[in-house]
Amino acid sequence: MHEAWYRVMSIVVLIVGVWEGPLAIVYRLVSGDEGTVMRAANYLPSPWCYVVAVVAALLLYGVLAVLDTGHKKALARQKARNDARSAAQSG
């Protein structure tokens, strides 16, 4: 995965996950928010909005972990290719 795409995807996932997760809970507790398009979890009645927000935060963590693992594997493959090229050129 190209470095720029990894960073863009990570930032988008982080923003959406935090906004739909912890911030939805904070908005609900502080202002009694009944939901907007940007905080869809708050459309749900009281106990379920918290459950959905926590699930969104856990999903955020999972997607970021998958992205990070894929990024590390891509960097390792790129390093192995570069090492093989330099070994072929010097040998």
Side-chain angles (χ1 to χ4, degrees):
M1 178 184 309
H2 193 272
E3 184 73 24
W5 282 112
Y6 163 74
R7 291 185 186 271
V8 167
M9 288 173 36
S10 294
I11 290 170
V12 168
V13 168
L14 181 67
I15 290 171
V16 170
V18 169
W19 195 261
E20 287 295 329
L23 285 180
I25 292 173
V26 169
Y27 272 95
R28 182 68 168 242
L29 293 175
V30 172
S31 68
D33 185 25
E34 293 300 321
T36 66
V37 175
M38 295 300 291
R39 288 180 308 281
N42 287 349
Y43 280 124
L44 298 171
S46 184
W48 293 108
C49 69
Y50 302 117
V51 172
V52 169
V54 168
V55 169
L58 292 175
L59 187 63
L60 154 78
Y61 179 74
V63 170
L64 284 177
V66 168
L67 283 173
D68 189 48
T69 302
H71 182 247
K72 286 179 183 176
K73 286 181 181 179
L75 289 177
R77 281 192 304 267
Q78 183 179 4
K79 184 179 182 312
R81 271 188 259 136
N82 290 342
D83 291 345
R85 276 190 208 133
S86 63
Q89 288 174 352
S90 65

